Amino acid sequence: MADTAETTSVNQIVDRLESLTDRDRICVRDIVAAFGTRSFLPILMVPALLVFSPLSGIPLFSSACGIAIAAVSIQMVVGRKKLWLPDFLMNRTLEGEQARKAVQKLHGVAQWLDHHSGDRFRPLLRWPGRKMIQTLCLICGAAMLFLEIVPFSSSVLGAAVLLFSTALLLRDGLFAVFGLVAMSSAVAILITLAGSL
């Protein structure tokens, strides 16, 4: 798979993702090929964006996104140079029209993130802060596997991963702080639900 040009904005990721939805079905292998096997951050952001979209209502979709997030994150943590994903994930598909409608709704989110980025809290993005952010993405992805049945939790965790990865992509540490807030919100939802049982 050929590596692609460096991605410098969230909207670029959404644009490239949307360009893949003009076919009958889109698979994960197509997405990885479009971004390149060295493009860890954009590929990490794709499932985070999608689980934040109406596609999250598809049964087990959030779990699949969680597996993808965890798989990409752990490879970032250990410092792999090229991305590898298992075939069962690479071969997973979505209907093109369904994906297109969902992705088109993500432009507003992407544009907001790009427009509101700035040079803030840079020390959070250096080592070991960078590794900590990647580890938090791994935790969020893994947790999504177990929280499929908990209302809103997967979308909140997806939002946390989106914010963490945006912090790394746009070099804005404030988004990492927002990611921690989102992650804490998911924990609060769990505690509230557990208390009501």
Side-chain angles (χ1 to χ4, degrees):
M1 300 174 199
D3 294 329
T4 58
E6 183 181 1
T7 303
T8 57
S9 73
V10 183
N11 207 47
Q12 275 184 304
I13 295 172
V14 175
D15 283 341
R16 193 173 300 175
L17 191 57
E18 186 176 7
S19 72
L20 298 173
T21 62
D22 59 356
R23 57 196 73 180
D24 291 336
R25 298 197 72 80
I26 176 176
C27 73
V28 174
R29 193 177 303 278
D30 298 328
I31 296 171
V32 174
F35 287 99
T37 55
R38 295 183 187 274
S39 302
F40 284 85
L41 268 177
I43 295 173
L44 174 65
M45 295 181 81
V46 167
L49 282 161
L50 293 179
V51 82
F52 198 58
S53 77
L55 293 174
S56 62
I58 299 174
L60 300 180
F61 182 80
S62 296
S63 293
C65 288
I67 292 172
I69 289 169
V72 175
S73 298
I74 195 169
Q75 292 177 68
M76 294 173 72
V77 171
V78 301
R80 276 184 64 94
K81 300 299 183 185
K82 294 188 72 174
L83 179 68
W84 174 88
L85 293 175
D87 281 341
F88 80 87
L89 197 56
M90 292 284 271
N91 295 329
R92 189 174 178 89
T93 65
L94 275 174
E95 183 184 337
E97 184 178 356
Q98 187 179 34
R100 182 164 54 255
K101 290 178 179 178
V103 171
Q104 286 173 344
K105 294 180 179 180
L106 294 173
H107 281 290
V109 175
Q111 289 167 2
W112 189 93
L113 291 170
D114 289 335
H115 181 71
H116 289 85
S117 66
D119 187 7
R120 299 170 293 199
F121 297 107
R122 280 292 185 93
L124 293 177
L125 307 178
R126 304 188 189 114
W127 194 92
R130 188 177 187 87
K131 288 296 180 185
M132 180 60 68
I133 291 171
Q134 294 167 356
T135 302
L136 290 173
C137 289
L138 170 59
I139 293 170
C140 287
M144 287 164 66
L145 293 171
F146 304 99
L147 300 178
E148 175 83 30
I149 61 173
V150 180
F152 307 114
S153 60
S154 291
S155 292
V156 174
L157 288 170
V161 174
L162 178 59
L163 290 165
F164 287 139
S165 52
T166 298
L168 297 175
L169 180 73
L170 302 181
R171 298 178 176 85
D172 185 347
L174 183 59
F175 283 120
V177 176
F178 292 155
L180 282 171
V181 172
M183 195 173 179
S184 300
S185 298
V187 173
I189 291 172
L190 285 176
I191 293 173
T192 300
L193 289 174
S196 65
L197 294 178

